[in-house]
Amino acid sequence: MKKVVLVTGANSGIGLALCARLLSQDAQLQLCLACRNMQRAEAARQALLVSHPRAQVTLLHLDVGNMRSVFRAAEDFQQKYNRLDYLYLNAGIMPNPRVDHKAFYKGLFSSNVVCMFATGEGILTQEDKVTPIGLQEVFATNLFGHFLLVKELEPLLCQMDHNSLVIWTSSSNAQRSAFSLDDIQHQKSREPYSSSKYASDLLSLALNSHYNNQGLYSSVICPGLVMTNLTYGILPSFFWTLIMPIMWLIRIFTSTFTLSPYNGAEALFWLFMQKPESLDPMAKYHSLTSGLGNNYTQPHKMDIDENMSEALYVKLLDLEDTVRKKLRDEDLDIKTKN
């Protein structure tokens, strides 16, 4: 049976690099690129077909920050496919990143410089927005939209004749200190990206608790420090030009500086080769690159616990009910006006 793989955020960066690696490994798989911008998605599809002309690559219009789009995309996907083996939840945003320049330059000449670049801890904040239905944009895009996608695709993911795997692209910036169960959308602070990524670590554990007995497993990866459009948006382009030689030099001494999307996709690709039931639900699988340029994957225990993950899961279920009701009310209001 041909494997079916769905990748969100697949038109560039790590997502596109992963798709190319998957097709090189298994030319028979059915690959679906789920993207917000369909013009870029088609360009990515054509690029993949150049190197893999016989590949089965389809497109799915999906904006994970828009809950109507999530429901619509899930319905469209289920009309095309009757199974789903791997669901890569890779799409994400970091809007309006701001760097505390004083802390940055202080850290640049400290013993903490590698950690600072790898995680952004202590120097990186963002200014979040609110979506039309009242959700925080980073939370909606990085976490909640993906949560609803998993829920909607449950009939394809939970099939007793085979196991499926949900894979979250998390981050080393997923800090427990940035997340609060009392503020899961991170409305009150300025590190929504870190909060959303820590929440994805928690949610992955909860999905395992609730779905392993139905053949659905969940894992989390960290791509390392990768130079993508998201990364380049943090600092002015001229600065990256100046500092890139230093970063390549640092990579000789630290394996977390994967730098290229191909290298950053290593853990995502490695998980494709594993049996879902053999994976550790408490581990985050890190993409690493040695000083000689060799890629490998290494598990690191996450700073999470079952009680917190379950509490988050319950809150997301409650929010799902609220969002569904709000969308139904909007639809009813439109019909009434018409």
Side-chain angles (χ1 to χ4, degrees):
M1 184 68 69
K2 295 180 179 179
K3 294 178 180 178
V4 178
V5 180
L6 174 61
V7 183
T8 71
N11 64 312
S12 64
I14 295 170
L16 182 56
L18 167 68
C19 291
R21 295 188 67 171
L22 292 176
L23 291 174
S24 295
Q25 175 63 31
D26 183 358
Q28 298 300 311
L29 65 80
Q30 299 180 66
L31 178 63
C32 181
L33 315 183
C35 306
R36 178 176 56 182
N37 186 313
M38 295 307 286
Q39 184 176 356
R40 293 179 181 177
E42 178 59 29
R45 177 177 176 273
Q46 292 300 325
L48 292 170
L49 291 176
V50 168
S51 53
H52 305 87
R54 296 184 179 181
Q56 300 179 60
V57 184
T58 62
L59 302 180
L60 181 69
H61 185 227
L62 170 65
D63 178 357
V64 286
N66 182 321
M67 301 310 115
R68 287 189 185 277
S69 176
V70 173
F71 291 132
R72 199 160 43 236
E75 184 178 350
D76 292 344
F77 187 84
Q78 291 181 86
Q79 290 177 355
K80 296 178 182 178
Y81 299 96
N82 59 13
R83 64 182 283 149
L84 179 55
D85 298 272
Y86 294 88
L87 173 55
Y88 285 94
L89 304 177
N90 174 70
I93 59 170
M94 184 193 291
N96 304 310
R98 295 288 183 270
V99 174
D100 182 333
H101 290 92
K102 182 178 180 181
F104 175 79
Y105 288 116
K106 182 179 179 180
L108 194 61
F109 301 100
S110 73
S111 59
N112 195 46
V113 61
V114 173
C115 180
M116 181 184 72
F117 273 111
T119 69
E121 185 177 6
I123 64 167
L124 196 59
T125 63
Q126 303 91 43
E127 294 181 12
D128 207 352
K129 299 178 182 178
V130 179
T131 69
I133 64 169
L135 299 174
Q136 295 297 123
E137 185 180 33
V138 175
F139 166 83
T141 305
N142 294 1
L143 183 79
F144 190 62
H146 281 139
F147 169 71
L148 291 185
L149 185 63
V150 173
K151 296 283 290 180
E152 290 297 294
L153 295 178
E154 186 178 316
L156 303 188
L157 290 164
C158 299
Q159 298 184 354
M160 299 311 295
D161 62 334
H162 73 280
N163 290 334
S164 60
L165 183 61
V166 172
I167 303 169
W168 301 79
T169 299
S170 182
S171 171
S172 56
N173 187 243
Q175 302 294 328
R176 186 171 189 146
S177 59
F179 177 80
S180 170
L181 282 171
D182 296 325
D183 182 23
I184 63 171
Q185 295 195 47
H186 206 76
Q187 296 171 303
K188 302 173 183 177
S189 298
R190 301 192 64 188
E191 295 181 88
Y193 181 81
S194 178
S195 174
S196 70
K197 291 303 180 179
Y198 185 79
S200 69
D201 296 352
L202 290 171
L203 182 53
S204 179
L205 180 61
L207 290 177
N208 281 307
S209 298
H210 286 270
Y211 287 102
N212 279 179
N213 62 355
Q214 300 179 56
L216 168 61
Y217 294 81
S218 182
S219 283
V220 181
I221 75 100
C222 173
L225 178 61
V226 182
M227 304 312 297
T228 64
N229 292 335
L230 187 149
T231 315
Y232 281 118
I234 297 174
L235 292 166
S237 58
F238 76 88
F239 183 84
W240 290 117
T241 302
L242 292 174
I243 204 169
M244 277 305 294
I246 299 175
M247 294 178 69
W248 281 99
L249 181 63
I250 293 175
R251 200 185 81 172
I252 297 175
F253 306 101
T254 175
S255 56
T256 59
F257 279 38
T258 49
L259 298 184
S260 76
Y262 180 94
N263 295 345
E266 177 66 21
L268 294 167
F269 177 69
W270 182 85
L271 286 172
F272 179 74
M273 309 294 292
Q274 311 306 310
K275 293 182 178 180
E277 63 273 18
S278 70
L279 300 168
D280 182 356
M282 293 293 294
K284 180 179 293 185
Y285 293 89
H286 288 245
S287 297
L288 300 170
T289 303
S290 71
L292 297 176
N294 298 316
N295 294 322
Y296 60 102
T297 297
Q298 191 174 82
H300 290 210
K301 185 176 176 60
M302 293 188 286
D303 181 22
I304 57 176
D305 63 73
E306 293 183 2
N307 291 335
M308 186 178 287
S309 72
E310 181 61 22
L312 173 63
Y313 186 76
V314 171
K315 285 179 176 288
L316 292 177
L317 290 176
D318 290 342
L319 183 58
E320 177 188 359
D321 291 340
T322 301
V323 168
R324 288 182 184 274
K325 183 180 184 303
K326 183 173 291 189
L327 295 179
R328 285 196 300 268
D329 290 345
E330 287 181 0
D331 291 339
L332 182 60
D333 187 51
I334 292 173
K335 289 181 181 179
T336 302
K337 289 180 180 179
N338 292 337

